[in-house]
Amino acid sequence: MKNLPAIIIGSDHAAYPLKERIKQELARLGHPVEDVGPGSSASCDYPEYGRAVARRVASGEFARGILMCGTGIGMSMVANRFPGVRAALCTEPLSAALSRRHNDANVLVMGGRMIGETMALEILNVWLRTAFEGDRHQRRIAMFDRVPPEAG
Ligand code: RB5
């Protein structure tokens, strides 16, 4: 039996169709999934769903999250306000791989209006299977939360 991490996922209306496709793929791979919404393509506010995912990754309840909006930009901005969340907006597989290897990204963000389904699935699969390299990258990540912005 596979023991794959549970993934918390959310979108806004603009990326609702892509979210549904990503959920199918996660199910195919065997990941348990929790969807915070929305449940349709009706217009909604992305910060609400971004917050719902980021809060539960920040708390440690979920090790990995996925967020999608039209561009991926708004969701990235929201998610990265939460200490401990490292959200990476990825538009192609190399960025997805490096966001894991170097940044230990724990939230994958994609833009449903920016990339096609095939690209999104490739990004997802690369992001899920790529490990963090640690070492000097661990030291750098530790600096994110230790250095207050006013320290210059
Ligand atoms: C919604 O129109 C759009 O603004 C949203 O999906 C996202 O792209 C925001 O960053």
Side-chain angles (χ1 to χ4, degrees), residues 12-14 46 69-71 73-74 113:
D12 71 353
H13 55 285
Y46 64 84
C69 60
T71 59
I73 295 170
R113 290 177 174 160

Side-chain angles (χ1 to χ4, degrees), residues 101-142:
R101 286 169 50 192
H102 290 192
N103 313 113
D104 197 15
N106 51 14
V107 174
L108 170 64
V109 188
M110 294 185 283
R113 290 177 174 160
M114 312 305 283
I115 57 173
E117 179 182 302
T118 306
M119 180 64 83
L121 293 177
E122 182 65 23
I123 289 169
L124 173 70
N125 276 279
V126 166
W127 189 76
L128 289 173
R129 67 172 177 252
T130 305
F132 179 47
E133 287 177 1
D135 194 41
R136 67 190 185 283
H137 301 297
Q138 180 61 59
R139 182 182 73 238
R140 292 165 185 163
I141 282 168

Side-chain angles (χ1 to χ4, degrees), residues 45-126:
D45 298 325
Y46 64 84
E48 188 183 328
Y49 299 97
R51 223 169 25 219
V53 166
R55 181 170 68 74
R56 292 169 74 187
V57 172
S59 73
E61 184 184 352
F62 286 84
R64 301 271 196 116
I66 299 177
L67 283 169
M68 287 157 284
C69 60
T71 59
I73 295 170
M75 283 297 199
S76 304
M77 290 177 169
V78 170
N80 279 317
R81 295 175 76 102
F82 287 73
V85 169
R86 294 176 299 280
L89 172 56
C90 297
T91 57
E92 34 66 41
L94 179 59
S95 296
L98 289 169
S99 80
R100 292 288 312 132
R101 286 169 50 192
H102 290 192
N103 313 113
D104 197 15
N106 51 14
V107 174
L108 170 64
V109 188
M110 294 185 283
R113 290 177 174 160
M114 312 305 283
I115 57 173
E117 179 182 302
T118 306
M119 180 64 83
L121 293 177
E122 182 65 23
I123 289 169
L124 173 70
N125 276 279
V126 166

